[in-house]
Structure formats: C-alpha cells, structure tokens
C-alpha cells in the first residue's frame, strides 16, 4: 500500500524578493563563495531576453526587489538593460558586487539605467588580509576607490563583510571602514557553511571567544552609530541555541534564479544533492513558484519530523536551514543541527570548537576547475 | 521618548535608496529600502507621502491634525517618534 500523497501546500503569497545570479564569473576567489562548487561558464548563462522575461514574470507575480548578484554581475554587458527593465516594472534593484571591475563611467551608466542601491563586499579592513582572502592582488585598495565612486554617482552604499576566524579580530576596524567609506548600512555576516565555505570550514570557523567578542563589538557599534550606520548582523549558527529562520521559510518569501536559469528556493539549495530544480527555460517562473516540486518539498510545516513538528517555534524558524541539515546529517528534512533540540547539536558544536583551534588556516580557493589553489595566491 | 534630530522646523525626507511603492499584488503600500520591505499602516503612509523635502514637520503635523481632526501637538509627538525610529534605521533623514 502506498502512502497517500499529501495535498500540495500553496505558497502563502507571492515572493517579496528574487536573487538573480547573473553569472558565476568573478575575478575574486573567496573561499566562502556562496556559489556552488560546480560553477557554470559564460556559454551556459541565460541570454538577455531570457533574463528580461524572468524580470517581467517576477514583476507580474509581485516581486518587489531584485538582487543582481553573481559571481560578479558587472561582467554581464547587458546589466544596464536588465536594470532598466526592473525600473520600468517598478522593481527595486540592488547590485551585489565585489566592485573591482567598476569605474566611474560604468557606475554612471548603471545609475542612469535606474539602479537604486549598491552592496559592495570587502574581505577585511587591511589590504594584506583582504587580498589574501579574496585571492586578488590590489583588490582591497580598488574597492576603497570604488566605494567613493559609488557615492559620487549618487548611489546609496551598503558594505558587506563576511567574517570568519581569519578576519574577525579586525571587526572594529571593518565597522570603522564602513563609516569612512560613507556606507549607510553594513552587513556583518558570519560565514554560512555550505558549498565553498563548507569545504573551507576548518580554515574559517571562528573560536567561541572570537564570536563572543564580535557580538560585543557589534552591540557597542550599533548603539554608538545610531542614525549613522545601520548594522545587520548575521549570527554564526554553529554556536547558536536556536536555528535561523532560513530564507524566512522555504518557498515563502524568496526565490533564486541561477546563471543557467535554475529556480531555487535558496541560493545554496543545490548543495542538497538529492534534489532537482526546474529552469526558466522549461517552465515560467510563476508556475515554478506555485507548485514546483522543489518549492513544495519543504514548504509549510507538513514535511517536518519531530522535534520540529510539535515545536511552538515551527512557524518562527521553520526548522532552520535545509542545506545545513543535509550537510551535517545527510537528511535535508532533519531538524537543523543548529537547534539545541536536534540530536546532532552537540556534535556540531564540538566539531566547530575543534576546527576553530586546530590551526588549519589554508584555503581551498574558489576556482572554475575545482583544483586546489593553496597558500598565497596573491598579496598574502 | 525623545526624538533626537527632529523638531517642528525639521524638513525630513526619505533617505536616498528608499521609496514608497504601491504594492498592488498584495493590496498594500510598502517602503522599499536596501534589503528591506516595510509594510506600512495607513498612518505611516499618510506621513511618508508628505515627506517631499519641502514641508516642515510642523506643517505636516498641522495638515494631519486638520485632516484627522486631532490635536496638532499629539500628532507632532507621534510623528516625531515614528520618524526618529525610521531615521535610526536609515530610512529617513533630515
């Protein structure tokens, strides 16, 4: 006898935001890159007219913000055209960039097309550290210059810093730098361990002491910089008691389109290797959102096992992160081990603490060929 | 609560990179900002629609007092508190 198929859970509403990963191409090689280990090349990327249709479909669904990301999105020569189409559809555009390929003329063109906000990544506060982490010589200095050009182009600036064991002790300097660069917002994001970051976890995992100190630095800066710099702090969940509400719940608010047109419930979803994803080349975006199997799989609460199923936080944290559950337990439906109620929680904490003090600092840099590039690729 | 930075003479406006949008798909008005979507209630919409970079806070409170038939000083205090909160988050500036 087969189990009855549960009725499909419809989405609670249209998605608020869409992450458009326009390309995997990028001059940097950050060892925590959020792209999948298996990167796609330029020839496989969606063409301009395919992206334009994604944008039109997103607008028709009610998407309010599109985050133009990558890889490095500015390598796409049609970026201005895509921004203009977002603008025509009244969609808010946010460019997520490493900055090193931008100049005054390109920024003017992007602003002219209707770009509304730029999020610039930095890899640290000091050139030597930052260039070693990004694997790109001269990158840090270039970013400092580009931050000025972004402000001069009249674009509001958010600085984004992914933090980990090898730059966390400079967090106070990173916050200071964001203020100096004229950012109104700073994202301090503890590394989330999927894909490249999972492969580099032993080189990135902060010590518990570093995390405690970082929490204090952020709390003090938030108070001191009220009205000057808003800080968004992504906490490190290996040391958490309760999991994060990943993506605000699977298939509830966000969707992600990859360079080749795959539609994902979150940018790391491809790390769940037993899942397949539809593409906008085969089916339209609103249909995939409405009833695509990948979106249905963890939408709502019916899929949850215990202890999530009966937990009074099940619609607060939605069981945490599916990718993390898969990475650490082999079961994407398991309770996120970041939760203290998970039977795997203690093992996760022990793993983090052990790795954080083992001193394995070498990075496996992000490369298209997945070949280990070790040591000091540049500047370090 | 105090509302540092805003007085009746202040001329507040939405910060750059922040705008109002009529969200027709959900039948509401939202404030779009970097990495944020704020769903606004009717009062907030009435206030934020008037932030044109020309009206002072005092003028704005007087208008709302007339429109909603409420005491201007109460409205001014409420609006100052609302805008101070939004300014702290970087959505509004003077």
């Amino acid at each position: 006898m087969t189990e009855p198929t549960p009725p499909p859970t419809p989405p609670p509403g249209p998605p608020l935001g869409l992450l458009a990963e326009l390309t995997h191409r990028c001059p940097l090689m950050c060892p925590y890159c959020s792209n999948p280990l298996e990167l796609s090349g330029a020839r496989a990327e969606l063409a301009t007219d395919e992206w334009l249709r994604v944008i039109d479909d997103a607008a028709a669904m009610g998407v309010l913000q599109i985050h133009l990301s990558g890889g490095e999105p500015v390598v796409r020569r049609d970026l201005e055209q895509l921004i203009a189409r977002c603008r025509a559809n009244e969609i808010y555009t946010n460019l997520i960039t490493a900055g090193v390929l931008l100049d005054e003329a390109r920024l003017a063109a992007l602003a002219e097309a209707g770009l509304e906000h730029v999020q610039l990544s930095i890899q640290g506060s000091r050139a030597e550290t930052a260039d070693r982490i990004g694997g790109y010589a001269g990158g840090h200095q270039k970013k400092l210059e580009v931050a000025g050009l972004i402000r001069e182009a009249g674009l509001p600036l958010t600085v984004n810093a992914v933090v980990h064991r090898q730059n966390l002790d400079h967090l106070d300097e990173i916050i200071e730098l964001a203020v100096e660069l004229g950012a109104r917002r700073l994202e301090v994001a503890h590394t989330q361990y999927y894909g490249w970051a999972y492969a580099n976890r032993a080189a990135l995992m902060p010590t518990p002491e570093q995390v405690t100190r970082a929490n204090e630095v952020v709390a003090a800066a938030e108070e001191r910089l009220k009205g000057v710099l808003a800080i968004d702090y992504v906490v490190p969940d290996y040391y958490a008691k309760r999991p994060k509400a990943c993506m605000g719940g699977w298939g509830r608010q966000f969707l992600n389109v990859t360079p080749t047109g795959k539609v994902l419930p979150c940018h790391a979803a491809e790390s769940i290797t037993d899942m397949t994803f539809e593409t906008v080349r085969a089916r339209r975006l609103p249909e995939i959102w409405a009833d695509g199997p990948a979106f249905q799989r963890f939408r709502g609460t019916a899929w949850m096992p215990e202890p999530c199923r009966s937990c009074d936080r099940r619609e607060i944290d939605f069981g945490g992160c599916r990718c993390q559950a898969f990475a650490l337990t082999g079961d994407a439906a398991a309770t996120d081990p970041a939760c203290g109620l998970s039977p795997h929680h203690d093992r996760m904490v022990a793993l983090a603490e052990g790795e954080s003090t083992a001193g394995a600092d070498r990075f496996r840099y992000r490369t298209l060929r997945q070949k280990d590039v070790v040591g000091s690729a540049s500047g370090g | 609560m105090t509302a540092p930075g805003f007085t009746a003479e202040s001329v507040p406006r939405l910060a750059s990179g922040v705008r109002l949008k009529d969200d027709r798909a959900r039948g509401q008005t939202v404030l779009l900002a970097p990495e944020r979507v704020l769903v606004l209630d009717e009062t907030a919409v009435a206030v934020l629609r008037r932030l044109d970079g020309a009206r002072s806070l005092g003028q704005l409170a007087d208008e709302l007092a007339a429109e909603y038939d409420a005491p201007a000083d109460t409205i001014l205090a409420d609006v100052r508190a609302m805008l101070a909160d939004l300014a702290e988050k970087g959505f509004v500036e003077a």
Side-chain angles (χ1 to χ4, degrees):
Chain A
M1 195 176 129
T2 55
E3 282 184 43
T5 310
T9 309
L16 288 170
L18 185 151
L19 178 68
E21 291 179 327
L22 301 179
T23 182
H24 282 154
R25 290 173 284 155
C26 182
L28 273 67
M29 305 195 296
C30 303
Y32 48 74
C33 181
S34 63
N35 290 159
L37 290 170
E38 194 174 319
L39 299 168
S40 52
R43 281 196 306 272
E45 290 174 8
L46 292 184
T48 303
D49 60 340
E50 291 175 303
W51 275 117
L52 292 175
R53 192 175 70 171
V54 168
I55 292 166
D56 289 343
D57 279 351
M61 292 167 78
V63 166
L64 298 172
Q65 297 189 319
I66 290 191
H67 308 281
L68 300 154
S69 181
E72 174 49 65
V74 312
V75 305
R76 291 279 304 211
R77 292 173 196 278
D78 55 3
L79 184 56
E80 287 82 345
Q81 207 181 334
L82 304 182
I83 290 169
R85 183 62 72 93
C86 290
R87 188 69 187 198
N89 279 306
E90 292 180 38
I91 291 176
Y92 189 99
T93 48
N94 172 29
L95 178 68
I96 300 176
T97 179
V100 298
L101 302 178
L102 285 168
D103 60 21
E104 194 177 347
R106 190 77 197 276
L107 279 164
L110 295 171
E112 173 69 24
L115 180 62
E116 296 191 72
H117 173 254
V118 179
Q119 178 181 309
L120 176 70
S121 68
I122 58 172
Q123 281 65 42
S125 57
R126 304 178 188 184
E128 188 189 339
T129 312
D131 289 352
R132 180 175 61 80
I133 293 165
Y136 187 83
H140 187 71
Q141 181 56 38
K142 175 74 181 169
K143 285 163 182 271
L144 304 187
E145 292 160 20
V146 165
L149 296 176
I150 291 166
R151 301 294 299 118
E152 283 163 29
L155 291 164
L157 172 68
T158 290
V159 167
N160 172 282
V162 174
V163 292
H164 45 79
R165 183 169 81 241
Q166 299 198 38
N167 65 6
L168 202 48
D169 292 336
H170 299 164
L171 182 53
D172 44 1
E173 293 180 5
I174 289 171
I175 293 168
E176 233 17 74
L177 180 58
V179 174
E180 280 170 30
L181 294 176
R184 294 297 308 272
R185 280 180 74 247
L186 170 66
E187 290 184 9
V188 176
H190 279 274
T191 307
Q192 307 287 310
Y193 295 97
Y194 324 110
W196 291 98
Y198 190 79
N200 279 293
R201 193 179 60 194
L204 295 167
M205 185 62 70
T207 65
E209 295 72 27
Q210 279 184 309
V211 170
T212 303
R213 169 87 185 118
N215 295 346
E216 291 165 3
V217 167
V218 168
E222 279 175 336
E223 191 59 33
R224 186 175 73 246
L225 297 171
K226 266 184 189 168
V228 176
L229 183 75
I231 302 177
D232 273 351
Y233 188 49
V234 177
V235 300
D237 54 8
Y238 272 58
Y239 295 125
K241 297 267 188 297
R242 289 287 175 268
K244 60 182 177 284
C246 197
M247 308 308 292
W250 183 276
R252 278 184 88 247
Q253 297 183 323
F254 298 101
L255 74 174
N256 178 32
V257 180
T258 73
T260 59
K262 284 183 203 168
V263 185
L264 314 179
C266 98
H267 64 268
E270 285 179 281
S271 68
I272 304 174
T273 51
D274 63 355
M275 291 191 74
T276 55
F277 302 97
E278 296 180 273
T279 89
V280 295
R281 283 174 167 154
R283 208 153 76 106
R284 298 290 282 268
L285 198 64
E287 296 167 14
I288 297 174
W289 171 258
D291 64 8
F295 283 85
Q296 292 289 353
R297 184 161 167 197
F298 300 119
R299 193 174 252 155
T301 55
W303 59 272
M304 288 180 178
E306 293 293 354
C308 293
R309 179 180 283 269
S310 60
C311 181
D312 60 6
R313 291 179 59 84
R314 67 184 176 277
E315 291 188 83
I316 296 172
D317 61 34
F318 305 100
C321 171
R322 298 304 90 226
C323 302
Q324 188 146 279
F326 183 79
L328 292 170
T329 75
D331 175 8
T335 297
D336 184 342
C339 181
L341 301 174
S342 160
H344 301 278
H345 181 71
D346 293 345
R347 183 171 63 84
M348 179 191 203
V349 175
L351 195 94
E353 289 183 353
E355 289 185 349
S356 73
T357 53
D361 284 347
R362 258 186 182 191
F363 294 136
R364 173 183 168 192
Y365 284 100
R366 170 207 202 265
T367 60
L368 275 169
R369 284 176 295 119
Q370 293 192 50
K371 191 176 152 193
D372 285 7
V373 180
V374 292
S376 51
S378 67
Chain B
M1 96 169 244
T2 56
F6 290 117
T7 66
E9 287 72 44
S10 301
V11 182
R13 59 181 184 277
L14 294 178
S16 89
V18 179
R19 68 175 158 94
L20 283 165
K21 178 176 161 69
D22 180 21
D23 175 11
R24 287 180 294 274
R26 300 170 190 79
Q28 59 190 12
T29 303
V30 294
L31 195 63
L32 297 180
E35 306 273 349
R36 286 281 182 282
V37 176
L38 260 66
V39 179
L40 303 172
D41 62 21
E42 199 184 327
T43 315
V45 175
V47 171
L48 295 179
R49 281 209 194 286
R50 287 176 164 82
L51 299 190
D52 56 3
R55 284 183 179 87
S56 72
L57 207 50
Q59 288 171 317
L60 191 154
D62 288 344
E63 282 179 29
L64 291 176
E67 190 170 326
Y68 293 94
D69 196 20
D73 54 348
T74 311
I75 293 220
L76 181 62
D78 288 352
V79 172
R80 280 179 66 190
M82 177 201 296
L83 294 181
D85 183 47
L86 290 170
E88 205 170 89
K89 297 177 176 123
F91 301 140
V92 169
E93 56 196 23

